[in-house]
């Protein structure tokens, strides 16, 4: 070949220039600057021009996204998140031996980090032994998570979520004892979480939701007293949870394990999980009674929907009374279970923050307690498909913020209270399949935001009020 390729030509010119530059000490450490130029070179699209400052007119420590160590003037942090950068990640990154943070989240890096350069990248990354944070979330990376990741012994935060990684989580990860955040959700990971996770004593955030992981959750997980956030929803985990599960999880604030095949009772030790703020076990196969939750003072999110909880018996909803202590509660979702009995009056003494009560598809009977109208911040009240009897309380007019009201498929009767016209924010109203009668009140003309209205399957009489036709 007569001429070198453009790449080689570039580097020949580059090195000649680099030598001259180093003589005048513009660029500082040559290893870092070569690595950064190589990194820039492997990016094919930079729509915001964030890398335009990466040029010879200034020291690399002043380039966009770079922070240097003051003492050595070496690259310590490389942070280019949300830049829409498209390309691969140069293996030269492994030469940034002072690197502590690599944050390339929310870009379009692709390839088996990276595709063209095969396995080189993980090996060279392993040379960044000072790395504390590696954030590659929201890119298009695929293939297996490289085993070499385990050589990053000082890693504290690792985020690979929202990529296309597949295969098993490399066992070397469980050896990185400094990890406090491990986030790998929204990939195609499979296999089990091994008992070795118990070695990550500093783990405070563990997110593996929306993968294809299976097996039982390892019992050593429940020994992690620093664990604050645990998300494993939307996987294929099965098995039941030990009753003392929460006894050592003293820091736990949020747990979401819904959308799995987890079965058995809710561990009774939940009564002791006093830091819990979010508890979401929807779409699993939990059975039995819900214990007293009165110690969970910070609970704002309780979702138990689509399980087999309750036994269609009188005491099923007793735990609602204990929720009176949960003064932060915003969302109470108990839909699609087997809860029976009557709805206790204490439903009116719950948190002032409450915006959602969903009790649909259960076996609840008795009247709708008037006290429920104390929850004047409710946006969503869903009582459909139960056995409620009696009337709609007149004080439903207090629900000034209500958007979704579902009362269908109960045994409710009487006339529609005029006060319901006060619910001017209503978007959906469904009262079908009851025994309502009388005239449809003209006040429904106030529902100017309504998108869905179902009055069918009742005994209404008289003309449809003309106001209906003024509805947008
Ligand atoms: C650049 O860093 C390398 C590796 O740490 C070191 O060997 C070299 O002396 C440094 N060069 C300069 C000019 O600071
Ligand atoms: C080089 O970087 C400087 C900022 O350091 C910038 O003002 C200038 O426009 C850049 N030059 C090119 C050719 O992009
Ligand atoms: C930097 O990294 C590349 C690829 O990993 C390697 O070939 C090269 O020898 C390294 N050293 C320097 C000084 O650039
Ligand atoms: C990673 O970056 C994303 C997007 O900037 C951010 O939301 C997330 O908190 C980061 N994760 C870690 C562990 O730093
Ligand atoms: C990693 O560092 C070692 C020596 O520190 C070096 O020999 C090797 O080439 C580096 N690997 C890569 C891929 O840069
Ligand atoms: C990631 O997976 C999604 C869904 O399977 C697919 O549409 C997308 O093309 C994949 N991206 C890459 C970079 O492989
Ligand atoms: C984890 O560390 C142990 C002990 O240091 C070592 O024996 C084992 O090979 C390591 N496992 C992996 C997968 O790196
Ligand atoms: C949990 O920790 C206790 C005390 O450190 C230990 O005895 C027990 O074996 C651990 N259990 C698991 C499953 O790791
Ligand atoms: C709650 O904690 C106390 C004290 O640690 C313990 O005695 C009790 O058995 C625990 N209750 C449950 C239900 O685990
Ligand atoms: C509510 O909290 C108090 C302590 O603040 C406690 O004594 C009481 O038992 C709790 N109520 C319920 C129903 O758990
Ligand atoms: C709830 O409403 C009832 C009347 O329906 C009222 O007597 C009671 O004091 C209210 N409770 C709270 C906590 O506001
Ligand atoms: C409904 O609104 C009217 C005014 O439009 C008001 O007088 C009445 O008190 C409200 N009813 C309820 C139950 O809030």
């Amino acid at each position: 070949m007569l001429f070198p390729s453009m790449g080689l030509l570039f580097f020949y010119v580059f090195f000649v220039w680099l030598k001259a530059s180093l003589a005048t000490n513009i660029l500082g450490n040559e290893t870092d600057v070569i690595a950064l130029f190589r990194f820039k070179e492997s990016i094919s699209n930079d729509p915001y021009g964030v890398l335009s400052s990466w040029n010879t007119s200034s020291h690399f420590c002043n380039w966009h996204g770079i922070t240097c160590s003051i003492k050595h003037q070496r690259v310590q942090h490389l942070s280019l998140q949300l830049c829409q950068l498209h390309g691969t990640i140069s293996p030269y990154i492994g030469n940034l031996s002072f690197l502590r943070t690599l944050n390339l989240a929310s870009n379009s890096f692709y390839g088996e980090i990276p595709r063209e350069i095969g396995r080189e990248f993980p090996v060279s990354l392993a040379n960044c032994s000072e790395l504390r944070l590696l954030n590659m979330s929201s890119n298009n990376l695929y293939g297996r998570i490289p085993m070499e990741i385990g050589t990053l012994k000082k890693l504290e935060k690792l985020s690979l979520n929202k990529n296309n990684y597949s295969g098993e989580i490399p066992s070397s990860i469980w050896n990185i004892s400094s990890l406090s955040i491990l986030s790998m959700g929204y990939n195609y990971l499979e296999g089990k979480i091994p008992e070795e996770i118990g070695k990550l004593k500093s783990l405070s955030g563990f997110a593996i939701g929306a993968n294809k992981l299976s097996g039982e959750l390892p019992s050593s997980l429940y020994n992690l007293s620093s664990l604050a956030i645990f998300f494993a929803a939307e996987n294929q985990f099965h098995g039941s949870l030990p009753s003392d599960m929460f006894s050592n999880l003293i820091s736990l604030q949020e747990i979401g394990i819904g959308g799995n095949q987890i079965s058995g009772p809710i561990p009774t030790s939940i009564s002791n999980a006093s830091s819990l703020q979010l508890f979401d076990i929807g779409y699993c196969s939990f059975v039995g009674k819900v214990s007293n939750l009165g110690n969970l003072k910070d609970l704002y999110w309780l979702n138990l929907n689509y399980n087999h909880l309750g036994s269609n018996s009188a005491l099923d909803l007793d735990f609602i009374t204990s929720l009176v202590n949960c003064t932060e509660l915003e969302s109470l979702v108990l839909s699609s279970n087997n809860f029976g009995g009557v709805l206790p009056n204490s439903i009116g003494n719950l948190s002032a923050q409450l915006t959602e009560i969903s009790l649909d598809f259960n076996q609840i009977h008795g009247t709708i307690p008037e006290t429920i109208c104390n929850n004047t911040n409710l946006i969503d009240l869903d009582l459909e498909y139960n056995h409620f009897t009696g009337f709609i309380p007149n004080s439903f007019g207090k629900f000034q913020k209500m958007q979704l009201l579902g009362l269908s498929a109960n045994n409710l009767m009487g006339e529609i209270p005029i006060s319901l016209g006060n619910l001017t924010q209503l978007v959906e109203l469904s009262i079908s399949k009851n025994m309502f009668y009388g005239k449809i009140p003209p006040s429904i003309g106030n529902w100017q935001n309504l998108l869905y209205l179902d009055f069918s399957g009742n005994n209404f009489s008289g003309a449809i009020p003309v106001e209906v036709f003024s509805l947008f």
Side-chain angles (χ1 to χ4, degrees):
M1 230 204 288
L2 203 54
F3 298 101
S5 73
M6 282 309 283
L8 283 177
L9 181 62
F10 168 82
F11 265 87
Y12 175 72
V13 173
F14 175 72
F15 277 109
V16 169
W17 158 82
L18 186 68
K19 243 179 140 182
S21 310
L22 284 173
T24 55
N25 202 23
I26 300 173
L27 287 161
N29 191 287
E30 66 191 276
T31 313
D32 282 11
V33 79
I34 293 169
L36 292 174
F37 273 121
R38 281 290 200 167
F39 178 85
K40 182 178 177 179
E41 193 194 35
S42 69
I43 287 166
S44 54
N45 193 11
D46 173 14
Y48 300 137
V50 291
L51 300 181
S52 67
S53 66
W54 290 33
N55 66 50
T56 54
S57 73
S58 64
H59 190 281
F60 64 80
C61 291
N62 298 321
W63 293 355
H64 182 85
I66 306 285
T67 313
C68 287
S69 58
I70 293 169
K71 192 168 157 207
H72 302 286
Q73 291 289 291
R74 302 291 302 274
V75 179
Q76 208 166 28
H77 307 287
L78 173 49
S79 182
L80 293 167
Q81 46 187 330
L82 285 160
C83 295
Q84 289 192 23
L85 297 174
H86 185 86
T88 58
I89 300 163
S90 169
Y92 273 76
I93 204 109
N95 291 346
L96 298 171
S97 46
F98 281 60
L99 198 64
R100 283 171 176 244
T101 299
L102 178 58
N103 190 347
L104 302 176
S106 302
N107 285 291
S108 298
F109 287 104
Y110 59 89
E112 205 171 323
I113 31 177
R115 179 162 34 186
E116 283 82 351
I117 342 191
R119 300 183 156 273
E120 227 178 333
F121 174 75
V123 178
S124 70
L125 185 73
N127 275 6
C128 298
S129 56
E130 293 299 312
L131 211 57
R132 309 291 204 274
L133 182 149
L134 176 58
N135 191 345
M136 303 300 304
S137 68
S138 303
N139 279 286
N140 301 319
L141 301 168
Y142 63 88
R144 288 174 166 254
I145 299 174
M147 188 60 106
E148 289 83 354
I149 209 140
T151 59
L152 300 171
K153 292 283 180 226
K154 295 184 180 171
L155 208 54
E156 291 165 12
K157 298 179 180 180
L158 173 61
S159 180
L160 302 175
N161 63 312
K162 296 191 181 145
N163 281 289
N164 278 8
Y165 284 117
S166 55
E168 295 193 5
I169 299 172
S171 53
S172 60
I173 276 192
W174 317 118
N175 265 0
I176 312 176
S177 56
S178 49
L179 274 180
S180 68
I181 295 192
L182 179 53
S183 171
M184 298 180 292
Y186 296 92
N187 281 289
Y188 300 92
L189 298 170
E190 54 192 50
K192 296 180 181 178
I193 306 294
E195 290 290 348
E196 279 70 27
I197 194 174
K199 296 196 285 183
L200 305 184
K201 297 283 181 226
S202 306
L203 201 62
S204 73
F206 184 42
I208 47 167
N211 278 293
K212 297 194 295 182
L213 296 160
S214 58
E216 295 195 29
L217 293 170
S219 51
S220 62
L221 185 68
Y222 315 132
N223 254 0
L224 296 176
S225 54
S226 53
L227 195 64
I229 295 178
F230 175 49
F231 281 112
E234 314 271 338
N235 278 292
Q236 292 152 23
F237 291 114
H238 65 84
S240 58
L241 306 175
S243 67
D244 63 352
M245 165 175 172
F246 293 97
S247 300
N248 293 327
L249 290 173
I250 51 176
S251 308
L252 197 64
Q253 295 176 357
E254 304 196 346
I255 176 168
I257 52 173
N260 283 291
Q261 286 112 48
I262 302 173
S263 55
I266 298 174
T268 50
S269 56
I270 193 175
S271 304
N272 278 357
S274 56
S275 301
L276 210 57
Q277 298 174 12
L278 180 150
F279 184 65
D280 194 327
I281 58 166
Y283 293 89
C284 285
S285 299
F286 285 95
V287 296
K289 199 171 147 53
V290 182
S291 359
N292 182 319
L293 301 174
N295 274 331
L296 282 53
K297 304 268 192 297
D298 299 325
L299 191 70
Y300 73 89
W301 183 276
L302 180 64
N303 183 7
L304 310 178
N305 69 0
Y306 292 88
N307 279 288
H308 312 295
L309 294 162
S311 53
N312 189 11
S313 74
L315 305 177
D316 282 352
L317 294 177
D318 275 10
F319 73 95
I320 286 184
T321 304
S322 72
L323 296 175
V324 168
N325 269 359
C326 308
T327 53
E328 306 295 323
L329 195 65
E330 289 173 23
S331 203
L332 173 62
V333 180
L334 310 177
S335 314
S336 297
N337 277 290
N338 196 24
F339 291 119
V342 300
L343 187 56
N345 281 328
S346 56
I347 192 85
N349 295 335
L350 301 185
S351 135
Q353 328 297 325
L354 205 59
T355 58
E356 176 178 12
I357 299 176
S358 292
L359 305 174
D360 49 305
F361 291 93
N362 279 292
Q363 312 283 344
I364 307 169
H365 60 84
T367 57
I368 301 174
E370 182 135 15
T371 55
I372 202 171
C373 307
N374 287 359
N375 299 299
T376 52
N377 286 318
L378 276 188
I379 291 171
D380 186 351
L381 174 61
D382 208 333
L383 306 177
E384 294 184 333
Y385 290 88
N386 278 289
H387 311 296
F388 283 109
T389 52
F391 307 101
I392 299 180
N394 199 36
S395 33
F396 262 46
K398 286 160 72 180
F399 290 135
Q400 303 283 334
K401 298 182 178 168
M402 187 67 72
Q403 294 178 13
L404 307 169
L405 179 58
L407 303 174
S408 289
N410 279 291
N411 302 318
L412 295 164
M413 58 179 200
E415 299 195 31
I416 302 300
I418 293 170
S419 66
L420 228 52
N422 282 17
L423 278 50
T424 54
Q425 305 300 311
L426 271 184
V427 176
E428 278 186 38
L429 174 64
S430 166
I431 60 168
S432 64
K433 299 185 201 132
N434 279 291
M435 297 177 293
F436 293 117
Y437 51 77
K439 291 199 171 74
I440 295 175
S443 61
I444 73 170
N446 296 343
W447 298 335
Q448 289 298 322
N449 296 308
L450 207 64
L451 295 177
Y452 179 88
L453 178 63
D454 191 353
F455 274 15
S456 66
N458 283 292
N459 299 320
F460 289 114
S461 57
I464 295 173
V466 291
E467 285 78 4
V468 168
F469 303 107
S470 76
L471 293 176
F472 179 67

